[in-house]
Amino acid sequence: MKLGSVHRASLGFALLLVVGTVIYAVIYYRPWLPLRYGAATVPTIDLVSAETALAKTVQAALAGVEAHPYSADVWGQLATILDVHDLRTEAIECYTRAATLDPSDYRWPYCLAVCQRLTDQEAAVQSLQRAAELEPGYAPIHAYLGDGLLKLGQIDGAEAAFTRLITLDATHLHGQLGLAKVALARDGLAKHGLARSLAEDALPHLRAVIAKQPTCGEAHRLLATVYQRLDDSAAARTHAEYATWYPGPLALEDPLREQHRWTEGVTLQWRRLRARRHVSQRKLGLVLSEWKAGIELDPDSIELQLELALAHATSRDSGPAHAALERARSLDPNDPRIALKHGQVLVCLGQAEPAVEQFRLALAENSELHEARSQLGAILIGLGREDEGLEELSHAADRQPHDADAQFTTAMAYLRARRMQLAERYLARTIAAAPGNLRARFEHGVLLAKRGEALPAAAEFERVAALEPARAAVHLNLGKALHDCGEDVKAREAYRHGLEHVPGDRRLTLSLAWLLCTSTADDVRDGTNARRLATTLCEATNFADPIALRTLAAACAETGDYDAAIENADKALLCAESDRQRQLLERDVALYRARQPVRE
């Protein structure tokens, strides 16, 4: 080869090498990115007071941003971690950067808006409008957008957003609630002559919300406003009362942010929430994994070691449970929570007497450890030491007057011990601490009814029936209390209302049929319908249920068919299950032979 050819080849190779190097640099280093997106500045985040697990997680995410400063996903990951742990100012900065780097991904402007809406409604609305353009089918965007526009006074825009939400999901509670707010906002701006009809426009939307979620305080608050404007002061007072029981806003179903919360939360609070969910689903393996993952990030956390010990005990793994307890004790042998958790571990392992010793030890170290005292009381009752247990429960409840759970636990213990006066005291305290505790109100109603105070009992049952309509026992007790008050018309409606919510319920059907054929009120009795209902119940039990047969007999008597009444009462006598049933049936038969119906 000639010298010139070699020289040209060398020059060509050098040129190729230079070009290749430039192309590699352009591809790898992407020098145009700072020009397009601006210089990448890693945010400074104060983690001095953060839990160890959170600090390590944020530091790892920051390292990712340093390594990939122009990756929208990496910035979004950091933003999500900060957002989930309520570091929203820093999250806003990171979401903004992610949205700039990838303007086609709806997640970043949407999550940015959710953070912004707490401090800057106009900015939030702009971000939500951008998110809605990118992903018009994601319902939560329209829920937040409607709320934001309404707060800015843009009623037409808010209505369009809520209407879009209803179009996506006709049963969406936020859409119904939003349209009710729009109607009330228009009502507030309307002239005097139009005010009534505009307020009424909110009613169907609010009733739709209450039908699906009776304890929605926000809907009750709006209903109170509507009824006040419609001059229905009684209804307004009722809904205003319910609104104070459930003061929080209606929770928004948000799959995206829900996923963020359940995957990115690393603090003890989030791990406990996830562990409870796993326990409720009986996924004990996931509970163990949760606490082990936490310990990997923070091996010196006493709380994590104690939770791991309890998780092992729940799985009946005694050895690992005690190993975790010993690890916690090595970190701080004087922490009274260790004795408390040791007691809980022993309870799970079926060792009640040693558990009592540990709870007492915990209380000796810290007499204000009320959880230990409550659990000690429960264990003592289970061991047959009722007086000791009730004393401990009372002590714990008395030291926590605003803790509704402690009050209710004590009340139920006294109920089981048939100490009604003390049970009522703690039920009243439960209701004072948590007016929306419907179980406490129900039990209080039962106590009042047993004491012969039918009117206040009915008032309690009415409240519970309005807020927990799918519970048959509530309607059953309400109907009986109203009957005892001499309010048979209201009792009939209570039973019918119950059957609307619990169709076919045997007890409600029996009670309604009995009332229809035995009431002393002429405008309540309906023997034909009573006979139809009772016949259906008897057919369902092959005419072998003494209560259903007695009801059918009374219904036959009400319609004037006394021979059929005697026949069915005799059948009921043959399958009667107690002396009391036989006595009542014999009384009934005597009435029927005298051609008289039963009246109660």
Side-chain angles (χ1 to χ4, degrees), residues 153-173:
Q154 299 179 34
I155 298 176
D156 291 342
E159 183 177 31
F162 290 130
T163 301
R164 173 63 179 162
L165 184 55
I166 293 294
T167 302
L168 292 171
D169 180 357
T171 63
H172 203 292
L173 297 188

Side-chain angles (χ1 to χ4, degrees), residues 309 317-327 329 342 345-346 349 351:
D317 292 333
S318 175
H322 284 96
L325 284 170
E326 288 307 311
R327 171 60 179 155
R329 201 169 273 115
H342 194 173
V345 164
L346 292 169
L349 296 174
Q351 301 174 31

Side-chain angles (χ1 to χ4, degrees), residues 205-482:
H205 301 297
L206 293 172
R207 286 170 179 159
V209 175
I210 293 298
K212 287 194 70 175
Q213 193 166 324
T215 57
C216 176
E218 195 172 0
H220 286 294
R221 178 178 59 80
L222 294 172
L223 277 167
T225 301
V226 171
Y227 285 120
Q228 187 175 30
R229 294 184 187 182
L230 297 178
D231 298 323
D232 188 342
S233 57
R237 281 195 303 271
T238 296
H239 289 287
E241 180 184 32
Y242 295 158
T244 63
W245 295 1
Y246 308 103
L250 176 65
L252 175 64
E253 290 185 12
D254 189 344
L256 175 63
R257 290 180 61 77
E258 185 75 3
Q259 180 188 19
H260 289 171
R261 285 189 284 266
W262 289 111
T263 57
E264 303 299 342
V266 297
T267 57
L268 189 63
Q269 169 199 0
W270 284 111
R271 293 196 184 280
R272 280 184 173 143
L273 287 171
R274 286 195 295 265
R276 289 192 196 112
R277 184 174 69 169
H278 296 327
V279 168
S280 69
Q281 297 171 344
R282 305 187 67 80
K283 297 178 179 178
L284 300 183
L286 291 179
V287 178
L288 287 169
S289 299
E290 187 67 59
W291 298 120
K292 288 177 180 178
I295 288 170
E296 285 182 12
L297 287 171
D298 188 3
D300 293 332
S301 167
I302 292 176
E303 292 91 341
L304 291 170
Q305 294 290 347
L306 293 177
E307 294 293 352
L308 178 62
L310 188 59
H312 278 300
T314 304
S315 300
R316 299 292 190 272
D317 292 333
S318 175
H322 284 96
L325 284 170
E326 288 307 311
R327 171 60 179 155
R329 201 169 273 115
S330 71
L331 294 168
D332 184 356
N334 298 317
D335 192 325
R337 293 173 300 174
I338 297 173
L340 166 62
K341 196 65 69 172
H342 194 173
Q344 294 170 344
V345 164
L346 292 169
V347 170
C348 289
L349 296 174
Q351 301 174 31
E353 289 289 359
V356 168
E357 294 178 15
Q358 289 299 319
F359 289 137
R360 291 200 188 282
L361 177 60
L363 289 167
E365 295 172 350
N366 181 358
S367 62
E368 297 302 307
L369 207 57
H370 304 305
E371 184 181 1
R373 196 174 298 282
S374 294
Q375 295 189 18
L376 171 61
I379 291 296
L380 288 170
I381 291 172
L383 289 171
R385 295 152 66 177
E386 187 173 78
D387 288 342
E388 285 183 73
L390 289 171
E391 183 180 352
E392 295 291 356
L393 286 174
S394 299
H395 188 174
D398 292 345
R399 297 301 294 270
Q400 307 171 87
H402 302 297
D403 188 324
D405 289 339
Q407 305 303 321
F408 186 66
T409 298
T410 306
M412 296 306 292
Y414 277 115
L415 270 180
R416 285 188 288 270
R418 300 186 180 280
R419 302 187 189 186
M420 301 306 179
Q421 188 173 356
L422 287 168
E424 186 172 2
R425 176 196 298 177
Y426 286 101
L427 283 174
R429 290 184 182 180
T430 304
I431 293 167
N437 187 321
L438 298 181
R439 189 176 172 197
R441 286 192 175 276
F442 176 78
E443 296 294 347
H444 188 223
V446 171
L447 271 181
L448 291 169
K450 286 181 177 178
R451 206 164 59 207
E453 298 182 36
L455 193 60
E460 284 287 38
F461 293 136
E462 272 187 308
R463 294 185 182 100
V464 180
L467 299 169
E468 199 175 15
R471 189 176 172 192
V474 178
H475 301 285
L476 198 67
N477 281 274
L478 173 58
K480 185 179 185 307
L482 289 168

